[in-house]
């Protein structure tokens, strides 16, 4: 292996060159060791193809080892922001590369080691027609613990789900206002006048900050009204604050 070029203060280019050299040296030695390697006097194409085969094995091995390292870092308390920084990608990129690292259980890593593992998973009904926002909300909830999240795209679908025989009663409903077929305003009025559904906490999470929307939601007995922040980090914190209060702090009524 080449000399030790992994020194403190090395630039990314210097580190990359050192890694390339070390991997190239390792691949060449592995090519000579594998049983189906090229004969000593093979032509250039055979040697190059053998090296290509070995490098593919090295790539797969690196991916497996990277997965293990990400899990170890998560168990030690690192979050997706830190995992992304370590690999030069965004937090969202780290989530896509290593999904499910932070499902709370006794045998899986947790991003929040001080969070108590719930006796049962919390059930959240998300009524949201914007797929990008729905994905952000799901990611924000999943980082805090075990959440069974069901997403529907309008009020009609929400009522169908809630009233379906055998449907699990959610612990929390997160509701957008502007949706097709039946909007959040109309759904909220129905929910809060239905004896079987009116005790489920409903948090309005929407882009509107119009006073009439805020007042209308509270007049219809919404439990809280939160305006969606534009900034992604603030959006995530807003969702997690809703989750923390209604699912971790507030006492919920027993399921019927």
């Amino acid at each position: 292996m080449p000399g030790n070029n992994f020194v403190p203060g090395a630039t990314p280019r210097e580190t990359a060159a050192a890694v390339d050299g070390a991997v190239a040296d390792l691949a060449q030695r592995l090519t000579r060791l594998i049983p189906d390697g090229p004969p000593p006097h093979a032509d250039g194409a055979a040697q190059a193809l053998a090296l290509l085969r070995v490098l593919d094995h090295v790539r797969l091995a690196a991916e497996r080892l990277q997965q293990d390292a990400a899990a170890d870092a998560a168990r030690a308390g690192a979050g997706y922001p830190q995992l992304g920084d370590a690999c030069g990608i965004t937090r969202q990129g780290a989530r896509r590369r290593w999904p499910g690292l932070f499902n709370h259980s006794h045998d899986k890593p947790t991003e929040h080691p001080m969070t108590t593992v719930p006796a049962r998973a919390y059930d959240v009904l998300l009524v949201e027609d914007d797929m990008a926002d729905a994905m952000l909300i799901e990611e924000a909830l999943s980082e805090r613990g075990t959440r069974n999240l069901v997403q529907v795209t309008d009020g009609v679908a929400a009522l169908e789900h809630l009233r379906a025989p055998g449907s699990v009663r959610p612990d929390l409903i997160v509701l957008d206002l502007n949706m097709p077929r039946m909007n959040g305003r109309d759904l909220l009025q129905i929910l809060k006048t239905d004896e079987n559904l009116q005790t489920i906490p409903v948090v309005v999470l929407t882009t509107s900050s119009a006073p009439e929307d805020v007042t209308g939601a509270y007049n219809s007995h919404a439990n809280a009204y939160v305006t969606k922040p534009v900034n992604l980090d603030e959006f995530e914190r807003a969702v997690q604050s809703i989750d923390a209060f209604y699912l971790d702090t507030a006492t919920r009524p027993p399921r019927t």
Side-chain angles (χ1 to χ4, degrees):
M1 181 176 293
N4 182 13
N5 292 318
F6 301 98
V7 296
T11 66
R13 178 174 294 182
E14 290 169 339
T15 300
V19 172
D20 287 351
V23 171
D25 180 71
L26 173 63
Q28 290 287 358
R29 289 190 287 119
L30 288 173
T31 301
R32 294 191 292 269
L33 292 174
I34 59 175
D36 59 344
H41 303 293
D43 60 26
Q47 291 182 1
L49 289 171
L51 179 60
L52 183 62
R53 187 181 307 115
V54 167
L55 285 171
D56 194 55
H57 283 296
V58 170
R59 176 185 62 82
L60 294 172
E63 289 176 358
R64 290 190 294 269
L65 293 171
Q66 196 176 50
Q67 174 72 35
D68 292 342
D72 288 343
R75 289 190 182 93
Y80 277 124
Q82 291 76 32
L83 296 178
D85 286 343
C87 298
I89 58 178
T90 65
R91 175 180 53 193
Q92 289 77 16
R95 285 193 182 110
R96 287 191 293 270
R97 183 175 295 183
W98 302 294
L101 278 182
F102 304 116
N103 294 326
H104 285 216
S105 73
H106 293 294
D107 58 351
K108 292 182 180 179
T110 171
E111 189 170 4
H112 299 274
M114 298 306 293
T115 300
T116 302
V117 178
R120 63 169 175 81
Y122 298 128
D123 293 286
V124 179
L125 176 62
L126 173 61
V127 191
E128 170 67 73
D129 67 324
D130 186 305
M131 293 300 105
D133 284 356
M135 183 178 69
L136 289 172
I137 292 167
E138 182 176 8
E139 288 177 346
L141 291 176
S142 68
E143 286 194 7
R144 296 202 68 257
T146 304
R147 303 290 185 262
N148 293 331
L149 185 141
V150 173
Q151 184 217 346
V152 294
T153 56
D154 58 52
V156 173
L159 289 175
E160 290 175 348
H161 172 76
L162 290 166
R163 291 171 173 169
S167 179
V168 175
R169 178 186 176 91
D171 296 291
L172 176 68
I173 296 174
V174 179
L175 175 64
D176 189 23
L177 288 184
N178 300 309
M179 295 176 294
R181 293 206 297 176
M182 180 190 293
N183 62 39
R185 301 169 186 84
D186 294 338
L187 175 61
L188 181 59
Q189 291 180 355
I190 294 173
L191 291 174
K192 292 304 182 179
T193 54
D194 186 314
E195 291 185 358
N196 295 320
L197 303 174
Q198 62 188 200
T199 59
I200 302 173
V202 178
V203 175
V204 174
L205 180 63
T206 184
T207 55
S208 174
S209 58
E212 59 269 24
D213 283 334
V214 178
T215 301
Y218 283 116
N219 284 340
S220 296
H221 306 291
N223 296 84
Y225 190 105
V226 179
T227 302
K228 293 177 182 177
V230 175
N231 179 277
L232 290 179
D233 289 336
E234 292 177 0
F235 189 105
E236 184 177 81
R237 285 194 294 270
V239 173
Q240 291 181 347
S241 67
I242 295 169
D243 178 76
F245 179 75
Y246 282 99
L247 300 185
D248 291 346
T249 305
T251 300
R252 300 183 308 283
R255 286 190 169 171
T256 56

